[in-house]
Amino acid sequence: MGNERIKAEVLEVAQAAKQASVGVGLASRQQRDAALSAMAAALRAHVDEIVAANGRDMEAARAAGTKESLLDRLMLDSARVEAMAAALEDLTALPDPLGTVQEERTLYNGIRLERISVPLGVVAVVYEARPNVTADAAGICLKAGNACVLRGGSMAAASNAAIARVLHDAAVGAGMPKGCIGSIASTDRAATDELMQLHGVVDVLIPRGGAGLIRHCVECSKVPVIETGTGNCHVYVHATADFAKARAIVENAKCRRYGVCNAAETLLVDRSIAEEFLPGMLSALASHGVALHCDEAAFAVAERLAQDGADVVFDRADESDWETEYLAPEIAVKCVADADEAIAHVNRYGTHHSEAIVADGGQAAGAAAIEAFLARVDAAAVYANASTAFTDGGQFGMGAEIGISTQKLHARGPFALEALTSYKYVLRGDGQVRA
């Protein structure tokens, strides 16, 4: 009986979104932007209600022993709610992704052909302990002319419900059709399974969360899935690297925020500079409270630091460490022979998210390593001499994003407005018929 209630709830929300998607898709840019502005104003007006709901989620999460990196993802305060509102307003300044003529030509028979960008329709977003995704996803979907169905994780249930209600009411008040922002209240995992079966009602499903959630959606969904992947990201320090620059990049990529998918999880260092570079680098990471999972060469350096009195937490890495997205103050450290070994390691263990090399492009060896890394590493974003922390829709000038796509179809990298559209061919004739 419980599952029947869940099935009925999911179907009701999805069908309402399907009906609303027609009106959202036909709304003008001015109408959609006005709705986004109203949604931003509503978040500000209801900030106390949203933060109070989040407080209930935080209290329950702490009582359940949730680790700090996940609590950071979950927490909302007035500043974070303001950031959500500002992100919605930023969307209004972006070009309209709809109605763009991507191609136009006259066919041999005189028919005029145009390829024009159109909405996807109904976008379902399944996500975990990030209540800000509720606002980001709703805003991006609406800007791109889509209705959305949001299914957040149980940990953020009160926060998500409050935000979704505020956003929906504001959008409808601004002229959008009722049901344009749907939210599934059930915290039972069966709700996600029901949502994944609604082929023909839901046009695309986007999972945003851990590897287990994404794998489950890819393997079980009847609705087309766009993966927003996990981030087992690497920073590789080449023998030619400037040590100060490398240290700053590694610290930023690892320590800026531990619980984000673009955080570095493995440090690779050329063996020829390990004895000189690693003592300072490992000490810097340790000063942030980062635990080190080291190969033999890095372990020896960490051991000497500990013997000299440094407060270093470290152990020997095993195969699982190269595969792990820690989302925590932990990092794997490995010494490699050269760029070829580093590239091979990244391509074997990385999740095709964001990868970085630090090298001196002014030296022939460094320039060659940079070009090899950028060309051969298979990832959505590859960096030379910059932190992986920049993989973000806002940083790329795309505005708010739903996540980072690590697949190659239909979108890759920050998943923002353009990726939430499709296209159709519009053909205008004058009575032509085919022989």
Side-chain angles (χ1 to χ4, degrees):
M1 189 63 179
N3 281 349
E4 288 302 314
R5 285 197 298 269
I6 293 168
K7 183 176 182 177
E9 178 200 351
V10 172
L11 184 59
E12 180 182 4
V13 172
Q15 287 180 332
K18 188 70 171 179
Q19 185 172 353
S21 67
V22 177
V24 179
L26 293 175
S28 68
R29 173 184 176 170
Q30 289 74 20
Q31 290 170 320
R32 285 177 276 123
D33 285 349
L36 289 167
S37 296
M39 290 157 62
L43 287 178
R44 295 187 176 106
H46 293 272
V47 60
D48 291 342
E49 173 189 339
I50 293 168
V51 171
N54 182 253
R56 296 193 293 274
D57 288 332
M58 289 289 291
E59 184 178 354
R62 288 194 182 98
T66 304
K67 61 184 181 180
E68 285 299 320
S69 59
L70 287 180
L71 290 175
D72 177 60
R73 287 182 167 197
L74 175 63
M75 189 273 291
L76 292 178
D77 55 17
S78 58
R80 289 190 176 184
V81 175
E82 171 58 32
M84 290 158 55
L88 291 174
E89 290 179 329
D90 288 345
L91 285 169
T92 67
L94 295 175
D96 189 357
L98 300 181
T100 301
V101 179
Q102 301 172 344
E103 179 186 356
E104 55 182 330
R105 53 193 167 92
T106 301
L107 303 181
Y108 73 95
N109 50 23
I111 295 176
R112 187 66 179 165
L113 175 149
E114 293 179 322
R115 190 174 76 181
I116 300 176
S117 58
V118 297
L120 290 172
V122 177
V123 177
V125 186
V126 180
Y127 51 104
E128 294 177 333
R130 286 182 180 272
N132 63 293
V133 175
T134 304
D136 289 347
I140 296 168
C141 286
L142 191 145
K143 175 73 176 186
N146 301 294
C148 63
V149 177
L150 307 176
R151 202 292 185 186
S154 58
M155 190 183 298
S159 307
N160 292 334
I163 295 167
R165 182 174 60 254
V166 165
L167 294 177
H168 176 265
D169 291 349
V172 172
M176 291 296 106
K178 187 176 180 180
C180 61
I181 299 171
S183 178
I184 296 173
S186 173
T187 58
D188 195 304
R189 292 184 179 181
T192 298
D193 293 335
E194 292 295 340
L195 189 60
M196 292 190 296
Q197 306 310 305
L198 296 182
H199 184 270
V201 179
V202 175
D203 293 287
V204 66
L205 184 140
I206 304 169
R208 176 168 175 171
L213 170 66
I214 294 166
R215 188 184 313 113
H216 180 65
C217 291
V218 170
E219 293 175 354
C220 301
S221 180
K222 293 181 180 178
V223 175
V225 174
I226 301 175
E227 298 178 50
T228 57
T230 53
N232 186 16
C233 306
H234 301 70
V235 178
Y236 164 49
V237 181
H238 184 258
T240 63
D242 176 276
F243 284 7
K245 183 184 294 183
R247 173 175 160 175
I249 288 172
V250 173
E251 283 189 84
N252 182 257
K254 177 68 246 183
C255 304
R256 177 183 167 273
R257 287 186 69 184
Y258 298 119
V260 292
C261 60
N262 57 22
E265 305 291 20
T266 298
L267 169 62
L268 302 174
V269 178
D270 271 353
R271 196 168 290 115
S272 61
I273 60 168
E275 288 295 323
E276 186 178 0
F277 174 71
L278 278 180
M281 185 72 257
L282 298 187
S283 294
L285 290 168
S287 73
H288 291 280
V290 176
L292 311 169
H293 306 291
C294 305
D295 74 349
E296 286 302 320
F299 186 91
V301 174
E303 194 169 41
R304 287 197 297 274
L305 290 172
Q307 290 170 352
D308 290 340
D311 184 13
V312 183
V313 177
F314 64 101
D315 61 15
R316 285 185 168 84
D318 58 27
E319 184 73 8
S320 66
D321 288 298
W322 313 133
E323 301 170 339
T324 298
E325 181 190 28
Y326 296 108
L327 299 174
E330 302 178 56
I331 193 168
V333 186
K334 181 178 177 64
C335 297
V336 295
D338 52 24
D340 286 340
E341 185 178 347
I343 292 167
H345 182 96
V346 169
N347 284 338
R348 177 177 178 183
Y349 295 104
T351 52
H352 314 295
H353 192 295
S354 302
E355 308 292 356
I357 179 174
V358 186
D360 184 355
Q363 298 184 42
I370 288 171
E371 294 310 313
F373 191 92
L374 298 181
R376 291 163 49 194
V377 165
D378 182 12
V382 287
Y383 294 85
N385 296 315
S387 169
T388 58
F390 288 107
T391 304
D392 174 88
Q395 295 294 317
F396 282 17
M398 300 174 178
E401 63 171 45
I402 291 181
I404 309 298
S405 171
T406 55
Q407 65 183 43
K408 298 179 181 179
L409 295 174
H410 111 106
R412 199 177 199 195
F415 197 80
L417 288 176
E418 185 179 348
L420 283 175
T421 65
S422 183
Y423 57 80
K424 67 180 177 183
Y425 290 96
V426 175
L427 300 106
R428 303 178 190 275
D430 186 28
Q432 290 91 335
V433 295
R434 182 173 176 179

